[in-house]
Structure formats: structure tokens, C-alpha cells
Amino acid sequence: MRGVVFLHAFPYSPRMWEGEVALLKTRLPVLAPHYLGLSLGKAAEKVLQEMDEAGLEQAVFVGLSMGGYLVFELFRKAPERFLGAVLSSTRAGPDSEEAKRNRYALRERVLKDGVGFLPEALLPSHLGRTTQATKPEVVEKARAIILEASPEAVAETLVALAERPDSTPLLSRMQVPALVLVGEEDTLTPPEEAKRMWKALPDARMLILPETGHLANLENPKAFRTALLGFLAEFF
């Protein structure tokens, strides 16, 4: 059996994919695993186990931000499970030393103060300027999902993100169809970053989503889902 696996961003949960899951679940087998708090290796094992339990032999993996890092980890472990990959708002390279220091500093604060401050710390860079100015319901949904996370899970994931490997050498080996999506207002993984991945992947297409920041599927669901459905039509 073939299906679609949605892989969520940090520090969110599968709830960020509610709209996409609802759109597809009557047409295709769909999974949206929860792995906040796990290392990328453990997260990949969990995803593969959930696929086995659901009878999913192969899938199109849709990863946004941290979900993209997990796509790379899954390809290392089980390339035979891939029909294709959607890489949204993500990058192949590792954290810079400064980014690592920032993640560890954030980890200490989360362990000390909890997650109450995280929306104010993260949303200015997670959401594009258009969303922040004109879509209060999207801001509130992102805020609510962040506040549902446990401090311990957030802290563990920050370590996993800081220590993740460089996946750039993997790109040329990903001999499956890929779709690279990026928001035109994304400052965390900007369009230039996406273009580097697109050029390095053997069989990729790329779209820049207008008026969209880092949380592309929440900020511009129509453009995101139109691109996703077009890509999935190649397989199903």
C-alpha cells in the first residue's frame, strides 16, 4: 500500500497538518506521526514503525522545517520506502555554531521557565509579515499549538536540531521525485536556501509561495495544497 506521511515542524505537533490530513484522508492512506522530544534517529524509527503498523510500504514524505530534517534521516535509513519527497521551509545544511549556541540557550530557558514565552520568541520568525499583519487566526493557531508542547520534549528536540548532521551530501543520492516549497517571506530558510536544494536534487521542481513565511501550509493553505495535490498526482 502507498500513502502520504506528514512530518511536522518544531515545536509543533501533527495538529499543524489538520487541513492537509482532512483533504487527503478520504482519497489516500495518510499518517501524521508525533515525534517532538525524540532524536532524529528515534523519530525515523517511530515513523517507520507506524508505517509498518498501517501497512504502508511506500510513501510520499511531506516534511516542513524539522520535518524536512526527518525526511533526510528517513532516506538514510530506508530509501526504499520513498515514492517521493516534499521539502518545505527547510534546509539540508547543519546549524552554524551561532545557531547551535542559540538552541542550547533556548533549551536552558525552556527548562527553567516552561513554554509560555515561546510564541513571542518564535512566531516573529516563523510567520511572514503578511500573516502577522492580516491573519490573526493563523497567529493564534500557531501560538496554541506551541503552548501544547511539553517543556521536556521541546528541550530534547532542541538538542536533536543543534546536533543534526549535514544532509547536503545526501541530496544528489535522493533519486526520487522531489518538490521544494518555500515562502517568499521566509527568513529562517529563505528562497535562496531552497534554490540550493532544488539544484542539488536529481529530480526536483520548486515553487515559491507568495505572501508566506516559514509555516507555509498554515499561512497560505490554498497555494500549499494546490502544489501538493499537483505533485501527488504523479504517484496516485
Side-chain angles (χ1 to χ4, degrees), residues 13 37 44 76 113-114 129 149 169 176 180 206 234:
S13 73
R76 284 188 192 90
D113 298 333
R129 60 183 181 273
V176 295
V180 177
M206 177 181 157
E234 299 181 28

Side-chain angles (χ1 to χ4, degrees), residues 215-234:
L215 296 181
N217 71 307
L218 295 178
E219 296 186 65
N220 195 338
K222 183 176 181 180
F224 186 94
R225 292 170 196 169
T226 299
L228 177 63
L229 289 172
F231 184 64
L232 292 178
E234 299 181 28

Side-chain angles (χ1 to χ4, degrees), residues 11-13 15 115 119 123 136-149:
Y12 301 90
S13 73
R15 202 153 81 74
V115 298
L123 290 181
E137 73 285 356
V138 176
V139 178
E140 284 312 306
K141 179 165 185 174
R143 179 191 306 279
I145 300 174
I146 290 174
L147 292 176
E148 291 166 2

Side-chain angles (χ1 to χ4, degrees), residues 20-229:
E20 289 71 30
V21 170
L23 178 69
L24 293 178
K25 68 181 180 182
T26 58
R27 317 180 197 187
L28 295 167
V30 178
L31 285 179
H34 194 301
Y35 46 84
L36 196 69
L38 301 179
S39 68
L40 289 174
K42 292 289 186 187
E45 290 171 13
K46 183 179 185 192
V47 171
L48 293 170
Q49 181 180 346
E50 289 193 21
M51 287 178 67
D52 291 342
E53 290 168 356
L56 269 189
E57 294 163 6
Q58 289 185 302
V60 174
F61 294 90
V62 182
L64 193 148
S65 195
M66 176 176 70
Y69 308 153
L70 185 51
V71 169
F72 298 136
E73 185 67 23
L74 282 159
F75 195 84
R76 284 188 192 90
K77 287 183 180 298
E80 72 282 357
R81 307 297 289 267
F82 276 69
L83 288 172
V86 179
L87 296 163
S88 177
S89 317
T90 194
R91 58 163 43 90
D95 269 1
S96 66
E97 289 306 313
E98 180 186 7
K100 283 186 182 182
R101 286 194 297 272
N102 290 341
R103 289 203 202 271
Y104 277 103
L106 189 61
R107 176 180 183 271
E108 292 307 310
R109 188 172 173 197
V110 166
L111 289 173
K112 177 172 171 280
D113 298 333
V115 298
F117 74 95
L118 273 182
E120 281 63 38
L122 299 179
L123 290 181
S125 59
H126 283 193
L127 299 173
R129 60 183 181 273
T130 301
T131 299
Q132 294 182 57
T134 65
K135 299 178 181 176
E137 73 285 356
V138 176
V139 178
E140 284 312 306
K141 179 165 185 174
R143 179 191 306 279
I145 300 174
I146 290 174
L147 292 176
E148 291 166 2
S150 87
E152 294 76 19
V154 170
E156 288 304 312
T157 302
L158 281 163
V159 175
L161 294 176
E163 302 303 331
R164 73 183 188 279
D166 184 2
S167 295
T168 307
L170 189 70
L171 296 176
S172 63
R173 304 205 304 272
M174 292 185 72
Q175 302 278 345
V176 295
L179 172 63
V180 177
L181 297 175
V182 64
E184 70 170 347
E185 299 175 7
D186 189 346
T187 58
L188 283 180
T189 52
E192 286 305 314
E193 191 79 50
K195 286 176 185 173
R196 281 194 283 272
M197 281 197 304
W198 164 58
K199 289 176 180 176
L201 288 159
D203 180 9
R205 59 288 279 147
M206 177 181 157
L207 282 172
I208 298 175
L209 306 180
E211 298 185 340
T212 306
H214 195 61
L215 296 181
N217 71 307
L218 295 178
E219 296 186 65
N220 195 338
K222 183 176 181 180
F224 186 94
R225 292 170 196 169
T226 299
L228 177 63
L229 289 172

